[in-house]
Amino acid sequence: MSRIEKLTVTGLRNLADVAIELSSRVNIFHGENGSGKTSLLEAIHLLSSGRSFRSAKLDPLITHGLEEAVVFTQLSDGLRIGLAKSRRRRHQLRLQEETQRNWESVARSLPLQTIDSTAFQLLEGGPKARRRFLDWGVFHVEHGFLSAWRDSKKSLANRNALLKAPRLDKPQLEAWDREFVAASVKVDAHRSAYLERFLPVFDEVYTQLEGSHLGTLEIRYDRGWAEGSALHDELRRTLDTDRRYGSTQLGPQRADLLLLLDRTPAADVLSRGQQKILVSALKIAQGRLLSESLGIDCLYLIDDLPSELDPENRARVFATLLSLNAQLFVTCVELESLLLAKEGELFSALAPSEIAQFHVEHGRITA
Ligand SMILES: Nc1ncnc2c1ncn2[C@@H]1O[C@H](COP(=O)(O)OP(=O)(O)OP(=O)(O)O)[C@@H](O)[C@H]1O
Ligand SMILES: [Mg+2]
C-alpha cells in the first residue's frame, strides 16, 4: 500500500523549500489564493506521472530564475522516489537509487487520481481526456495492456509516416497494418474487459453520491472503429481518406467514452456542481476498483474540494472519499469550509491522529 510519508519540494513554482511529514489518511492544506496549495499537489502529480494536471508544458513549473525543480518522496513501504526536472537537461527520475527510463514502475508504485478544476475536461473536453482516464485504469488493472498499447502506437506512427509519403509503399503498408491491427485488437479487448468491471463499481459510487437521482447515466464505449467490423477491412475502406489526411482515422487512438444522460451528453445538461459529482464518482470508482481488484490503494489529490459543491454534496463527496481508506491530499482556502460541513461530522470516522492540517503561506508550509 503506497502512502506518502515524507515529501520534499524545491524550486517548483513558489515552493522554495518544502519538507513535510504526512498523515497516512487525510492531509488538508489551507491558505490564501496564490499561497502554493495547488503547486504542492502538482509536485506530487509530477512525481507520479511526469506530467502536471494544469499545464501541458513543464517549464512554467520551475520557479522563475531557477534551473530545476526537485521533488522527493518516501513511501510507507520504504520506496523512495526522486525527480529532478531541469530547464535544459533531460529529467532525472529515480526509484530507490535506480534511474528510470520511463514512468512505468513509478506510476505502478504511486497510483493517483486528481479531482480539480481541470477535471471538468473529462466531460466537456475532447476524447483525449476520457481515453487517458480509461487507460489509467486499464494500465493498472489489465496486465498486458501497456505492451499492446505501445505496439499499437509504434505501428500507428509508422503507418502514418507511410501515408504522408508522396508514393504509397503498399507492401510496407500491409506489413504495418497487420501489426497495427493485431495490437489494436488487444488494446480494445483490455479496455472492454476493464470497463465491464468498472461499470458496476461506478453505478454503486454514483448512487452513493446520489447522482443517480439526476437520471440514468449511460457510459458507452466507442472503441474507435465500427462494432461488428474488422479493423483490417475498415483500414482498407478508408485508405483514401487516410492518405488525404496523412493520418489514420480509425483505430484505438480514436476511442472514446460517451457519458450520456437520457441520450444527451452529460456536459450539456448537468450543472457545474452536478458535473463535479459525476467526475468525482468516476474517479472514486476507479480507485475503488483498483483497491478491490489488486489490493492497492490509490492516492487522491483533491484541489479546492469545497468549490462548486453545497455543504450536503461536499459532505457526501468527502465521506465517499474517506470510505476508500485511501490517502487524501485536500486543499481549501478556508479550513472552516471543510470542518463546518455538517458540523464537523465529516471527520467523526477518523482519529485525530489521522488528520494532518497544514497552513500554506507564500510557498511555505507549516503543520
Ligand atoms: N514558475 C513560477 N515561479 C514562481 N512562482 C510561480 C511560478 N508559477 C506560478 N507561481 C506562483 O506560485 C503561486 C502559487 O500558486 P498556486 O496555484 O499553487 O496557489 P494556490 O494556493 O493554489 O491558490 P488558489 O487558492 O488561488 O488556487 C502563485 O502566486 C503563482 O503566481
Ligand atoms: Mg489553487
Side-chain angles (χ1 to χ4, degrees), residues 42-60:
E42 243 182 331
I44 301 172
H45 195 279
L46 182 69
L47 188 69
S48 154
S49 66
R51 291 186 299 109
S52 158
F53 51 85
R54 71 170 156 182
S55 69
K57 290 189 197 138
L58 294 184
D59 232 31

Side-chain angles (χ1 to χ4, degrees), residues 11-15 31-40 42 54 59-65 87 303-304 331-333 360 363:
L12 192 140
R13 298 206 190 265
N14 72 338
L15 306 177
E32 289 174 359
N33 293 140
S35 56
K37 305 176 299 293
T38 304
S39 304
L40 185 83
E42 243 182 331
R54 71 170 156 182
D59 232 31
L61 262 80
I62 303 172
T63 306
H64 304 311
R87 290 194 196 275
D303 200 19
D304 206 355
T331 75
C332 56
V333 175
V360 188

Side-chain angles (χ1 to χ4, degrees), residues 23 58 104 147 227 284 328:
S23 157
L58 294 184
E104 185 184 347
S147 70
E227 287 299 330
I284 291 171
L328 308 182

Side-chain angles (χ1 to χ4, degrees), residues 245-260:
Y245 284 106
S247 72
T248 307
Q249 302 302 302
L250 297 174
Q253 75 285 2
R254 287 296 172 98
D256 198 358
L257 284 179
L258 308 174
L259 298 149
L260 306 168

Side-chain angles (χ1 to χ4, degrees), residues 21 113 143 165 202 205 311:
E21 296 201 2
Q113 287 282 350
H143 288 276
F202 167 76
V205 176

Side-chain angles (χ1 to χ4, degrees), residues 133-134 191-207 217-221 257-259 281-282 285-286 289:
F133 167 80
L134 171 64
R191 283 174 174 166
S192 303
Y194 176 76
L195 275 173
E196 219 164 279
R197 298 170 73 179
F198 172 78
L199 293 178
V201 183
F202 167 76
D203 282 342
E204 239 176 70
V205 176
Y206 200 44
T207 307
L217 187 100
E218 186 195 350
I219 301 184
R220 206 184 292 162
Y221 168 55
L257 284 179
L258 308 174
L259 298 149
L282 288 163
Q286 280 207 318
L289 179 55

Side-chain angles (χ1 to χ4, degrees), residues 149-305:
W149 182 82
R150 281 183 179 146
D151 290 349
S152 161
K153 271 198 84 140
K154 183 181 156 200
S155 42
L156 177 67
N158 282 294
R159 183 177 202 271
N160 286 344
L162 290 175
L163 291 170
K164 286 189 184 78
R167 271 192 48 147
L168 188 61
D169 184 336
K170 284 204 168 143
Q172 279 272 358
L173 185 76
E174 267 296 314
W176 281 118
D177 275 5
R178 272 195 299 277
E179 302 248 335
F180 179 57
V181 169
S184 300
V185 167
K186 285 188 201 160
V187 167
D188 169 48
H190 284 304
R191 283 174 174 166
S192 303
Y194 176 76
L195 275 173
E196 219 164 279
R197 298 170 73 179
F198 172 78
L199 293 178
V201 183
F202 167 76
D203 282 342
E204 239 176 70
V205 176
Y206 200 44
T207 307
Q208 202 173 335
L209 291 178
E210 295 199 356
S212 47
H213 75 265
L214 302 170
T216 311
L217 187 100
E218 186 195 350
I219 301 184
R220 206 184 292 162
Y221 168 55
D222 172 355
R223 65 177 178 170
W225 71 96
E227 287 299 330
S229 311
L231 180 56
H232 192 260
D233 297 339
E234 291 289 279
L235 292 176
R236 278 205 186 149
R237 191 176 60 75
T238 53
L239 182 59
D240 288 344
T241 326
D242 286 358
R243 278 284 278 166
R244 222 172 316 123
Y245 284 106
S247 72
T248 307
Q249 302 302 302
L250 297 174
Q253 75 285 2
R254 287 296 172 98
D256 198 358
L257 284 179
L258 308 174
L259 298 149
L260 306 168
L261 262 171
D262 300 325
R263 297 203 198 93
T264 313
D268 294 346
V269 281
L270 294 182
S271 75
R272 209 63 180 158
Q274 290 167 339
Q275 289 188 29
K276 184 154 176 173
I277 292 169
L278 172 54
V279 168
S280 303
L282 288 163
K283 300 201 165 199
I284 291 171
Q286 280 207 318
R288 186 173 288 180
L289 179 55
L290 182 67
S291 135
E292 283 170 7
S293 54
L294 298 183
I296 299 171
D297 289 328
C298 103
L299 194 148
Y300 278 80
L301 307 178
I302 305 129
D303 200 19
D304 206 355
L305 174 71

